[in-house]
Amino acid sequence: MSRAALLATLNCSESARRAVSQNCLGELARFSLSDPQIRDTFLAYLATTRDPSRREEVISAMTPTPLPTDQLAPLLAQIQSLREADDPRIRAAGLVHLAQWDRGAAIERPLREGLDDADPEVVRSAITAVSLSNARTDELKQTLLLLASDSPAGSELRDAAVTALRDFSLDAREFAIYQNASGSSRSP
């Protein structure tokens, strides 16, 4: 795939006709970000796109690719920029995208911030992002335990936090909180 083909596909994806736009967005997955020219073209496009919802659409269409840290950093910066959007849907999607791309320790901070977001949709996505990521810190675990125990029984937040906690090592006290939140503790 060439740089010119990528630019044509990106331009096509901006079509006012939703079906055409969606088709072209689907074509973006064919372009490998391991190719420096393709990656640089994607990054330049993202950098000049001011609409966060448009950036999220393009990022969502990209296929996560293992890259060296120095080559991945500019893309992670673009994904991180979604977290600054006013729209909670975009902030939520940004966290999931970040977890799909970033396997480093730096992801813990945005995950913690997402778990503390005022919008429940962002918190749910942050919980999903924790599950997708390699981050398993004590601080994330404690936040998930708090969400699991403080959220109403049967709520999406409680269920998501309980599910995410399955990937963490729990001591006896934490396991009791988990068990109570999951509804699996039974009184004799």
Side-chain angles (χ1 to χ4, degrees):
M1 295 278 146
S2 71
R3 181 180 187 280
L6 173 58
L7 288 172
T9 304
L10 285 167
N11 287 334
C12 169
S13 73
E14 292 178 350
S15 173
R17 293 179 33 215
R18 187 74 176 152
V20 171
S21 174
Q22 289 302 306
N23 186 48
C24 292
L25 281 168
E27 292 294 312
L28 289 175
R30 297 181 321 145
F31 295 89
S32 174
L33 294 180
S34 60
D35 178 326
Q37 283 190 323
I38 298 298
R39 187 174 54 253
D40 290 346
T41 303
F42 260 120
L43 289 170
Y45 180 84
L46 292 172
T48 60
T49 303
R50 295 290 164 229
D51 178 10
S53 108
R54 177 69 186 148
R55 280 197 323 271
E56 192 280 322
E57 279 184 321
V58 171
I59 290 168
S60 181
M62 294 187 291
T63 301
T65 306
L67 294 169
T69 306
D70 62 321
Q71 294 173 12
L72 186 58
L75 180 59
L76 292 178
Q78 287 296 328
I79 296 171
Q80 287 268 23
S81 74
L82 298 176
R83 294 182 44 247
E84 299 165 8
D86 291 334
D87 185 342
R89 183 192 61 78
I90 295 169
R91 291 196 317 273
L95 284 165
V96 173
H97 297 318
L98 192 60
Q100 291 170 326
W101 284 88
D102 189 353
R103 296 294 177 203
I107 194 170
E108 181 194 349
R109 181 172 176 234
L111 293 176
R112 280 192 334 257
E113 291 171 359
L115 291 171
D116 291 335
D117 197 278
D119 190 278
E121 180 179 4
V122 176
V123 176
R124 276 191 305 277
S125 288
I127 293 169
T128 299
V130 168
S131 293
L132 291 171
S133 76
N134 294 329
R136 297 293 178 267
T137 65
D138 194 56
E139 189 170 349
L140 289 173
K141 176 174 57 174
Q142 296 307 318
T143 302
L144 289 170
L145 284 165
L146 186 64
L147 285 166
S149 64
D150 285 353
S151 298
S155 71
E156 287 182 41
L157 283 180
R158 177 179 278 206
D159 293 345
V162 165
T163 299
L165 283 165
R166 292 178 187 156
D167 294 331
F168 286 81
S169 295
L170 304 172
D171 64 23
R173 181 192 65 80
E174 294 164 343
F175 183 73
I177 294 168
Y178 164 82
Q179 200 171 29
N180 185 47
S182 69
S184 60
S185 62
R186 305 279 180 241
S187 300

